[in-house]
Amino acid sequence: MAEKFDCRTTGVHPSEITPEHVYLNRRGFLKSLGIAGAGAFLAACGGSPPASPTGAALPAVTETAVQGEINPTDEPGDALTSFEQITNFNNFYEFTFSKRDVAKLAQEFPTSPWQVEVYGLVNNPHTFRIEDLLKQFTQEQRIYRMRCVEAWSMVIPWQGFPLAQLLEVVEPKPSAKFVRFETVFDPERMPGLKNHSYPWPYQEGLRLDEALHDLTILATGLYGKPMPAQNGSPIRLVVPWKYGFKSIKSIAKIELVETQPATLWTTIAPHEYGFYANVNPKVDHPRWSQASERRIGESKQRPTLLFNGYADQVAHLYEGMDLQVDY
Ligand SMILES: Nc1nc2c(c(=O)[nH]1)N[C@H]1C(S)=C(S)[C@@H](COP(=O)(O)O)O[C@H]1N2
Ligand SMILES: [Mo]
């Protein structure tokens, strides 16, 4: 069974929200290293990869890592995953199930013009153009761990803004209890949509209080660049205390609703993927353990943390709930 997880035993801060000045210093540091091309080295990866949600074995991963050179004081032991890894090891089933091929297939994906329709149980329904979202909301830097349900993880420096700010503008009505998100449906550009065994478009959902939590962001870029297509350009959700599949990419619609919405994963395999999908080392996936994970760029396993290490900020949202039942 899992040991006790805390920042003392793991060397991980409960929070990796990095103040902007630290990030900017780091960016200066990365720049001074010429990080885009410099210093990357190849290392073999250890351990056998877990099965994907579809049950297919994942391809072996060849790592390029930069951990050795980056040692900022704000994240002891938790270096950023390299830009190269973040943008070449992706889950984006609308393109392909093959993580290493998403980047190539998504290259031509058009993300302008783009708009996000926000509607449903709100006083001010509004369709936002992406350029207005970028202007209207101050883009912040947030460094978050991302833990995929497949038991691998990354540390990603996003830019974006709290979803709460957008929701304030549209004013949810008292009857709104959940937020439903939908990815764009573009079969001409997204070859994976030809697989009709999936209930496209990709949909996700959050309880309204989860959506309003300050950790929940709409991300518009990473590593200081506009969002790469393979990571969900031009705008995607990031909910760092939940499994990665909740962080829906390339969002076209946001709807405020009264009842818990169906999601792609709860529709396909409700016994394997719950609506909450909070990272929890004590609730195993029926087909594999969730007690530990492999940080992309590293070969060793590290313990998985309750709520992905963000328990101090989010545990109160689930008080009184049985996390074994509402997983
Ligand atoms: N629309 C859409 N969003 C998605 C997915 C997807 O297949 N389609 N995959 C999810 C999963 S399983 C993970 S782990 C993350 C991966 O995000 P990344 O490729 O930016 O690391 O995106 C999530 N969002
Ligand atoms: Mo995932």
Side-chain angles (χ1 to χ4, degrees), residues 53 91 147-150 152 243-245:
N91 274 331
R147 169 60 157 84
C148 176
V149 74
E150 298 163 333
W152 52 266
Y243 290 117
F245 66 82

Side-chain angles (χ1 to χ4, degrees), residues 252-265:
K253 291 182 183 173
I254 300 178
E255 183 184 13
L256 280 287
V257 296
E258 187 155 10
T259 53
Q260 184 176 304
T263 73
L264 181 131
W265 289 110

